[in-house]
Amino acid sequence: MNSKYYYFFCIIAVFSFFSCGKENDPVLPPQVQLSVETDQVKLSPGETLTITASGTDSQSEREWILNDQPVSTSNEFKFSSEDEGVYTLKFRAANSAGEFSKTYTITVVYTPGRPVNPESNAYVTSLIEYKPAPGQFINKAPGNLESANSIVGKKGTVTLGAYGGYIVLGFDHTVVDVTDKEDIIVYGNGSSSSAEPGIVYVMRDDNANGLADDTWYELSGSASNTEGYERNYSVTYTRPNPVTADVPWRDSKGNTGVVKTNTFHKQAYYPEWITANEYTLTGSLLPSGNINMSNPNFIISSPFPFGYADNTPGSDKLDIKNAINAEGKSVKLYGIDFIKIQTGIQANMGWLGELSTEVTGVADLSLIK
């Protein structure tokens, strides 16, 4: 045979051998390894679960299916949810020879940092800070540190003074946001014609250090975002001379005024334990349209529909689900460890004196029998 033709037939034979061999290679179903082996996963709200699929080839179709809805075709999927519940996540890879699949059941549930135990107190158990604004009861009961401590672990009475005065308290357990129920009760001495609304803020112990040094969230009420409501409002009070005189103030809007003294209470109204000659209190401002002074002998301060301390007769029930951030957007907290109550209105009530929130107790509603 001519050598030229011999080499040609050899090349054809070799090519045919390898081509036939490739076509005859068996196609195998996808062989997949998943980075998370267990099929039962428990997460906290906001926690992220990352699952990676390796071993899939380019010929395989891949998909992630969350609660029966396709959500991704990549090899890696990140799952996170702020909402409690049970979620089904399925990974599927398929080719002409078969398929591989695995289904995860993911339970998202909040676990309190400090769960309730048999020794847990329904009432707040620690006084963290008491910083009242000037007022007619300040520097004596119920406007001194002894009065502030009177509501720790039980009921007592403390006043917060004029606008911005506040008290910060801690629970000995995490107060959980119970679905469709109010979670916190604040006792006060308000009446149907003498409401002195205080804004309530809550904090969770995010860094788990036991200190109230995380983020405060306001509990929105019926007056939030209505005319006269204002976030990031502040008032600066100045020590008077003599100390028993009216207490001057100026606010962040350029207004000025005084916390007026009266003949019933002749002590200094500026807190004696505050050594600085002026101090500033900041928070949200509630509208004062609920105050009717048309009859000076019978001044009426009507309660808001809901959402504030010392607002309705006896007590006010509050829901953690109403928490908002500094921009006024709703946030989901699941549970809180600290509470702050602050006088929400700047008002001179004539012979009644300044409007000042009073608190007679703070408790976890789930533990109140």
Side-chain angles (χ1 to χ4, degrees):
M1 178 182 289
N2 187 301
S3 61
K4 179 174 68 175
Y5 292 106
Y6 174 78
Y7 286 119
F8 174 76
F9 282 117
C10 287
I11 292 171
I12 295 296
V14 170
F15 178 79
S16 299
F17 173 80
F18 283 107
S19 298
C20 292
K22 184 176 181 181
E23 289 177 357
N24 291 330
D25 282 347
V27 177
L28 299 176
Q31 304 296 310
V32 180
Q33 295 81 46
L34 292 168
S35 59
V36 176
E37 296 181 355
T38 178
D39 56 7
Q40 301 288 327
V41 181
K42 183 178 178 181
L43 301 176
S44 298
E47 185 179 359
T48 299
L49 170 70
T50 301
I51 307 177
T52 303
S54 58
T56 61
D57 57 67
S58 60
Q59 304 302 314
S60 297
E61 296 179 354
R62 302 173 299 276
E63 66 176 344
W64 297 89
I65 303 167
L66 180 62
N67 289 349
D68 298 324
Q69 296 295 319
V71 290
S72 176
T73 58
S74 68
N75 281 330
E76 182 179 86
F77 185 74
K78 295 180 182 292
F79 171 87
S80 181
S81 176
E82 292 290 343
D83 297 323
E84 293 182 292
V86 179
Y87 300 82
T88 299
L89 177 64
K90 180 179 180 180
F91 173 79
R92 175 182 173 274
N95 58 22
S96 60
E99 74 169 46
F100 169 91
S101 68
K102 182 178 178 65
T103 299
Y104 295 93
T105 299
I106 305 172
T107 302
V108 179
V109 61
Y110 171 72
T111 302
R114 297 177 300 153
V116 171
N117 60 57
E119 287 73 43
S120 295
N121 196 319
Y123 291 88
V124 289
T125 55
S126 60
L127 170 65
I128 297 167
E129 186 179 10
Y130 174 53
K131 196 169 189 177
Q136 61 187 315
F137 295 108
I138 302 304
N139 297 318
K140 64 176 186 177
N144 53 21
L145 291 173
E146 183 179 359
S147 300
N149 275 298
S150 75
I151 62 170
V152 174
K154 61 187 187 307
K155 287 185 179 180
T157 303
V158 63
T159 186
L160 305 182
Y163 172 82
Y166 66 83
I167 190 168
V168 178
L169 304 151
F171 292 90
D172 65 4
H173 62 279
T174 300
V175 181
V176 175
D177 179 16
V178 180
T179 303
D180 298 326
K181 290 184 178 180
E182 290 95 353
D183 309 297
I184 301 166
I185 186 166
V186 180
Y187 299 96
N189 60 5
S191 69
S192 59
S193 62
S194 182
E196 297 185 286
I199 297 177
V200 177
Y201 303 83
V202 292
M203 178 187 290
R204 59 187 179 191
D205 190 8
D206 287 332
N207 57 20
N209 67 355
L211 304 175
D213 57 0
D214 294 290
T215 303
W216 284 115
Y217 298 95
E218 180 181 338
L219 295 186
S220 63
S222 55
S224 296
N225 301 315
T226 62
E227 184 177 359
Y229 170 86
E230 182 177 336
R231 281 189 291 273
N232 299 315
Y233 173 78
S234 63
V235 174
T236 299
Y237 296 98
T238 301
R239 190 190 308 275
N241 185 15
V243 293
T244 54
D246 297 342
V247 181
W249 60 261
R250 63 184 186 278
D251 71 9
S252 51
K253 300 194 292 184
N255 300 314
T256 59
V258 296
V259 177
K260 290 188 66 65
T261 59
N262 58 51
T263 58
F264 303 105
H265 307 284
K266 298 181 180 180
Q267 84 289 351
Y269 287 16
Y270 192 96
E272 292 175 342
W273 62 91
I274 294 179
T275 58
N277 285 327
E278 67 175 29
Y279 66 109
T280 301
L281 300 172
T282 301
S284 291
L285 176 69
L286 296 176
S288 57
N290 59 330
I291 300 173
N292 184 348
M293 297 183 63
S294 59
N295 181 354
N297 295 318
F298 188 64
I299 297 170
I300 296 174
S301 177
S302 300
F304 293 110
F306 70 90
Y308 305 100
D310 199 20
N311 180 54
T312 57
S315 64
D316 295 277
K317 297 177 180 179
L318 305 164
D319 198 330
I320 295 171
K321 76 174 183 180
N322 292 328
I324 56 175
N325 63 18
E327 289 74 44
K329 296 180 180 179
S330 179
V331 294
K332 182 67 176 176
L333 295 183
Y334 297 99
I336 62 97
D337 301 279
F338 306 102
I339 185 169
K340 174 182 177 181
I341 303 168
Q342 182 174 43
T343 300
I345 297 177
Q346 179 72 282
N348 182 337
M349 307 269 287
W351 65 273
L352 291 175
E354 75 289 341
L355 184 147
S356 60
T357 300
E358 274 80 52
V359 180
T360 61
V362 182
D364 177 351
L365 259 176
S366 70
L367 299 182
I368 297 295
K369 306 301 182 183

